[in-house]
Amino acid sequence: MSNLGVSVVDFKPRLSVFGHIEASFASIGDVDAIWVPCFRQRDLASASKWAKRKNIPLVFDPLISTFDKQVFERKKFLPTSPAAKKLLEWETRLFQKADVIIADTELHARYYEETLGVDPCKTQVIPVSSDENIFTFKKYSKDRSEFRILFYGNYLELHGIDVIAQAIVENKNDSIHWTLIGDGPTRKAAEEKCKGLHNIEFIDWVEYEELPKLIHDSNIVLGIFDTGNKASRVIPNKVYQALACGRSVVTLQSLAYPSELVKNPTGIYWSQAGDPSSLLDAVERAIAHGSESDSQYARAAYEKYFSNAVVNESLKKVLS
């Protein structure tokens, strides 16, 4: 926003429910709009009250639906349970309060419209993109015989770690080395499945600033492979970051990606969701094609569809 000449005032309420009252006593000054950022559904009601009092528009950038996360990702409630229905009603009411709803993909925008009752005229798609200050392009140079594949994440069911682990077990190509970074609910099962294999390394955690080097040292970065609906609607951070660094991605084929990229992928190798054999086939296609040429293709795809410049153009539409 600052790059577009917008002055941003950051206000964090101590208690969300009383945020509109607290804001009235804060030194905020005159503003033209309110932007409620990712994951802050709890702030939306009070932000709406303050926006109406000031007669200014309210923009909400949720990134994810609380209902979707609690019911279908964490499976905290059954979809037909009273608790799930109450949560859906609560979030639906909240989303109606915003004048603009930001979605990271077209499919996520459609989800907000169809599940949470958002007016299609209110949705605007802005890709998540990456931090281009640290995820920078580096041309791949082949200086080793080993083919390195990298995964990093929180080992959520969404990631399809079971699919990755089974692919590693089924892999017959001894030149491939797999590195899996992170921790989470499905890691233990993955370690058990891959126990005894010499070509896999599990790493607990690395500094965020170290990720670009690990990506640059890899031939391929793995995306997500779960068969759930949410997996098909999102583009994970690691995909943006890998493409920005100029590294190929293997991930599930999804209409969350631009249609032109789905039909003519460059730098991305599609796999069928939940299918370890399809994942391995995508890896072998990437190996056959060559990492050096794919490096340029991956970065070109990033610049065309997902870069900070693309974000700026989308953001201009929202601000206007």
Side-chain angles (χ1 to χ4, degrees), residues 149 160 163-165 167-168 178 222 224-225 250-251 269-272 275-285:
I149 298 180
V163 179
I164 295 173
I168 295 171
W178 309 77
L222 298 178
I224 56 178
F225 304 93
V250 171
T251 193
Y269 292 86
W270 301 123
S271 168
Q272 296 304 309
D275 189 341
S277 298
S278 181
L279 192 162
L280 285 176
D281 178 67
V283 168
E284 290 298 336
R285 281 186 279 122

Side-chain angles (χ1 to χ4, degrees), residues 223-263:
I224 56 178
F225 304 93
D226 186 49
T227 56
N229 290 331
K230 183 178 179 181
S232 67
R233 286 196 295 266
V234 303
I235 300 175
N237 286 327
K238 56 183 72 66
V239 169
Y240 295 112
Q241 293 160 354
L243 294 176
C245 288
R247 292 299 176 269
S248 297
V249 169
V250 171
T251 193
L252 68 83
Q253 187 170 14
S254 164
L255 295 178
Y257 293 82
S259 58
E260 186 179 334
L261 191 58
V262 173
K263 295 175 184 176

Side-chain angles (χ1 to χ4, degrees), residues 20-223:
H20 59 294
I21 299 175
E22 187 183 344
S24 299
F25 294 96
S27 301
I28 296 176
D30 293 329
V31 297
D32 299 297
I34 301 177
W35 186 293
V36 177
C38 302
F39 317 123
R40 297 301 297 185
Q41 274 87 334
R42 72 192 76 170
D43 291 332
L44 206 55
S46 59
S48 175
K49 291 177 182 178
W50 200 76
K52 287 179 180 178
R53 187 182 303 162
K54 297 289 184 179
N55 194 29
I56 57 177
L58 172 62
V59 182
F60 182 37
D61 181 12
L63 190 62
I64 60 173
S65 157
T66 300
F67 169 75
D68 190 24
K69 186 175 185 66
Q70 297 295 344
V71 175
F72 295 103
E73 183 179 333
R74 293 185 175 176
K75 295 181 170 56
K76 188 175 180 179
F77 311 113
L78 290 173
T80 57
S81 68
K85 291 178 181 178
K86 184 177 180 181
L87 183 59
L88 177 60
E89 291 171 1
W90 169 79
E91 191 167 38
T92 299
R93 287 196 304 270
L94 279 183
F95 272 59
Q96 309 315 307
K97 297 180 183 297
D99 297 291
V100 179
I101 298 287
I102 306 299
D104 58 323
T105 68
E106 292 288 352
L107 290 190
H108 237 150
R110 200 175 305 163
Y111 174 84
Y112 296 150
E113 294 159 11
E114 295 174 354
T115 304
L116 299 175
V118 175
D119 184 340
C121 295
K122 289 185 175 183
T123 58
Q124 176 68 43
V125 175
I126 302 180
V128 171
S129 194
S130 71
D131 183 347
E132 293 179 0
N133 291 317
I134 65 170
F135 293 99
T136 57
F137 174 72
K138 182 177 180 181
K139 189 175 180 181
Y140 179 82
S141 57
K142 183 176 176 62
D143 58 358
R144 57 176 180 267
S145 58
E146 198 172 52
F147 193 89
R148 292 183 174 270
I149 298 180
L150 173 68
F151 169 85
Y152 57 93
N154 296 325
Y155 283 79
L156 301 175
E157 186 174 324
L158 167 76
H159 296 150
I161 301 297
D162 56 332
V163 179
I164 295 173
Q166 185 60 39
I168 295 171
V169 170
E170 294 179 8
N171 171 56
K172 305 299 182 186
N173 188 338
D174 290 336
S175 69
I176 297 177
H177 183 274
W178 309 77
T179 300
L180 279 65
I181 300 173
D183 199 1
T186 63
R187 172 167 165 172
K188 186 176 180 180
E191 286 185 294
E192 283 296 319
K193 185 176 283 289
C194 298
K195 195 172 183 178
L197 297 179
H198 70 280
N199 60 338
I200 181 171
E201 178 183 17
F202 287 91
I203 299 175
D204 292 341
W205 180 81
V206 298
E207 293 277 358
Y208 182 70
E209 290 75 14
E210 291 180 24
L211 282 176
K213 182 181 185 305
L214 291 164
I215 294 172
H216 290 147
D217 288 342
S218 302
N219 300 78
I220 286 175
V221 175
L222 298 178

